[in-house]
């Protein structure tokens, strides 16, 4: 009886280790992906990586109006939030496959 219990425990540990390795690989893949947020019909684009680091900001010349800096700031903010939201959605979708059916507070 005891022997079967240990076999099940060993199998479960192997499954947990396999899932952990898959989670680490999925997270590493997400970290190197890029996500592009846009605003103003593409007049402002913000590129971020999966680590939520902004790696590039592009602003088309025609949107720069010295009389309306506030609009430009709003466009940059909107594009940045768009890129970050994409990261959040993709992270939840990718990493959520590992926690289906599990209620683990604080995990993703």
């Amino acid at each position: 009886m005891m022997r079967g219990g240990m076999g099940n425990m060993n199998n479960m540990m192997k499954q947990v280790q396999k899932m952990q390795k898959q989670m680490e690989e999925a997270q590493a893949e997400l970290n190197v992906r890029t996500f592009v947020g846009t605003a103003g019909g593409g007049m402002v684009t913000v590129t971020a990586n999966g680590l939520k680091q902004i790696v590039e900001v592009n602003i088309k010349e025609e949107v720069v109006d010295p009389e309306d800096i506030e609009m430009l700031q709003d466009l940059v903010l909107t594009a940045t939030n768009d890129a970050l939201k994409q990261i959040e959605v993709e992270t939840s979708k990718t990493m959520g496959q590992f926690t289906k059916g599990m209620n683990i507070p604080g995990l993703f």
Side-chain angles (χ1 to χ4, degrees), residues 48-66:
N49 62 26
L51 296 170
K52 298 183 181 177
Q53 297 168 328
I54 305 304
V55 294
E56 186 175 15
V57 176
N58 286 308
I59 301 170
K60 298 227 171 151
E61 191 177 319
E62 7 351 331
V63 80
V64 179
D65 179 357

Side-chain angles (χ1 to χ4, degrees), residues 19 23 92 95-104 107-108:
M19 186 173 83
M23 287 174 65
S92 291
M95 301 309 286
Q97 69 185 334
F98 297 107
T99 59
K100 280 185 186 150
M102 289 188 258
N103 187 10
I104 305 172
L107 187 62
F108 310 112

Side-chain angles (χ1 to χ4, degrees), residues 6 12-13 15-17 25 27-30 33 38-39 43-44 49 56 58 64-65 74 82 88 92 97 100 102:
M6 289 304 287
M12 190 168 75
M13 288 304 294
Q15 287 177 331
V16 167
Q17 288 171 342
E25 289 170 356
Q27 185 65 56
E29 288 174 18
L30 276 171
R33 285 191 53 193
T38 62
M43 297 300 274
V44 174
N49 62 26
E56 186 175 15
N58 286 308
V64 179
D65 179 357
D74 287 344
D82 183 36
E88 198 67 38
S92 291
Q97 69 185 334
K100 280 185 186 150
M102 289 188 258

Side-chain angles (χ1 to χ4, degrees), residues 5 10 19 21-22 32 46-47 58 63-64 66 68 95 98 105:
N10 286 338
M19 186 173 83
K21 186 176 186 332
Q22 290 172 331
V32 297
V46 173
T47 304
N58 286 308
V63 80
V64 179
D68 195 1
M95 301 309 286
F98 297 107

